[in-house]
Amino acid sequence: MYNILLVEDDLDYGTVVKQYLEFSGFQVTWTPRAAEVNTLIIQQAFDLAILDIMLPVKDGFTLAKEIHQNHPQIPFLFLTAKNQNIDRLLGLKLGAADYISKTCDPEELKLRIDNILRYTQTKTYQTYQLGIFTFTPNLLRLEHTKKKYQLTERERDLLLLFIQHDRSILEREVILNQLWQSADYFSGRSLDVFVTRLRKYLSDDDAIQINSIRGVGFKVDLARQTPQS
């Protein structure tokens, strides 16, 4: 089931769109506030974002720039009442997969969404099988049959480093110099936070272990299978 993020501050219209898309088989997370978007993306893995432009505090164009910069793996489209050609051109220049008027027929909206997802989901990316998890670095995605996690770039890079040193000892200093370019106290505390996050994500599979070796680093066993592509 595809997971869609809907950002729309019109409560009546947002309700209609959410209900129609869910009736059409999508999972929809709806928020009227642009300020919540980054947190939601970190908490969940979204296949598509649908953005209104005329949002309070932060407009949809600004939000789109942030999504494109921080989460480039998530395609987005504009669903808006702003129908002037200059707005449409700006939206497409920002990287929108489509620019759709709110007067659009619901069935047409679904078809356009289907077309976008059909294109983005057929791209081939390298994946790693870690126990019950599938890890797709390009999409910053870690998932199994019941859960999907949208990783940050730092979480992705740390997990890749663990994969490179699977079933061996990985020194803290190596991690800090490669990912933080510093081995100072504050970088070390940050590393511990990210290791804790990865342990939490991977805790659904008891075969996966990230063990700390005091004063040295980490010994990992990711129950890894052959990389796929």
Side-chain angles (χ1 to χ4, degrees):
M1 179 182 294
Y2 291 117
N3 193 11
I4 293 178
L5 173 62
L6 173 63
V7 188
E8 170 59 66
D9 68 318
D10 184 320
L11 300 185
D12 291 334
Y13 188 74
T15 299
V16 170
V17 173
K18 183 177 188 294
Q19 290 179 346
Y20 181 80
L21 292 179
E22 289 179 339
F23 178 77
S24 300
F26 297 105
Q27 179 177 325
V28 181
T29 298
W30 170 33
T31 177
R33 291 177 289 276
E36 294 183 347
V37 167
N38 190 60
T39 299
L40 289 171
I41 290 176
I42 291 174
Q43 293 174 342
Q44 301 182 54
F46 291 104
D47 299 293
L48 177 70
I50 300 176
L51 312 177
D52 186 17
I53 292 176
M54 294 183 289
L55 297 168
V57 184
K58 182 186 298 183
D59 66 81
F61 289 141
T62 301
L63 178 60
K65 289 179 184 178
E66 294 177 356
I67 292 175
H68 189 62
Q69 179 178 351
N70 299 323
H71 309 281
Q73 77 284 357
I74 302 178
F76 63 91
L77 63 84
F78 290 109
L79 180 60
T80 177
K82 290 177 70 68
N83 295 322
Q84 294 187 11
N85 194 50
I86 188 172
D87 295 317
R88 180 183 298 274
L89 291 176
L90 176 56
L92 294 175
K93 286 179 180 178
L94 290 173
D98 207 340
Y99 190 103
I100 305 173
S101 169
K102 285 186 175 180
T103 60
C104 170
D105 180 86
E107 181 61 23
E108 180 182 348
L109 172 62
K110 178 184 179 300
L111 290 174
R112 290 191 182 214
I113 291 173
D114 286 342
N115 287 338
I116 294 169
L117 293 172
R118 187 178 301 114
Y119 173 74
T120 58
Q121 297 299 315
T122 54
K123 288 184 177 180
T124 301
Y125 298 107
Q126 183 181 38
T127 63
Y128 296 90
Q129 197 66 37
L130 311 177
I132 65 173
F133 291 91
T134 299
F135 171 44
T136 312
N138 296 76
L139 299 179
L140 304 177
R141 184 168 292 179
L142 180 69
E143 59 190 321
H144 62 83
T145 55
K146 295 183 179 180
K147 290 183 182 178
K148 289 184 180 180
Y149 297 103
Q150 193 70 50
L151 305 181
T152 65
E153 292 188 0
R154 183 57 56 82
E155 289 168 346
R156 182 269 312 276
D157 294 342
L158 180 57
L159 185 51
L160 281 172
L161 203 53
F162 280 149
I163 288 173
Q164 293 169 14
H165 295 81
D166 193 21
R167 297 183 178 88
S168 62
I169 295 175
L170 176 58
E171 297 178 358
R172 288 178 64 89
E173 187 174 351
V174 171
I175 301 174
L176 291 170
N177 287 330
Q178 287 198 30
L179 301 188
W180 274 265
Q181 287 76 54
S182 171
D184 62 21
Y185 172 79
F186 295 103
S187 298
R189 292 296 299 271
S190 181
L191 168 59
D192 291 333
V193 169
F194 281 96
V195 170
T196 298
R197 288 184 189 174
L198 288 182
R199 282 179 174 144
K200 181 179 179 181
Y201 299 154
L202 296 165
S203 63
D204 289 337
D205 190 337
D206 293 336
I208 296 176
Q209 300 292 324
I210 302 176
N211 296 313
S212 298
I213 302 177
R214 187 177 179 83
V216 179
F218 303 93
K219 176 73 178 296
V220 299
D221 185 344
L222 299 175
R224 182 185 168 199
Q225 301 175 23
T226 305
Q228 305 170 0
S229 61

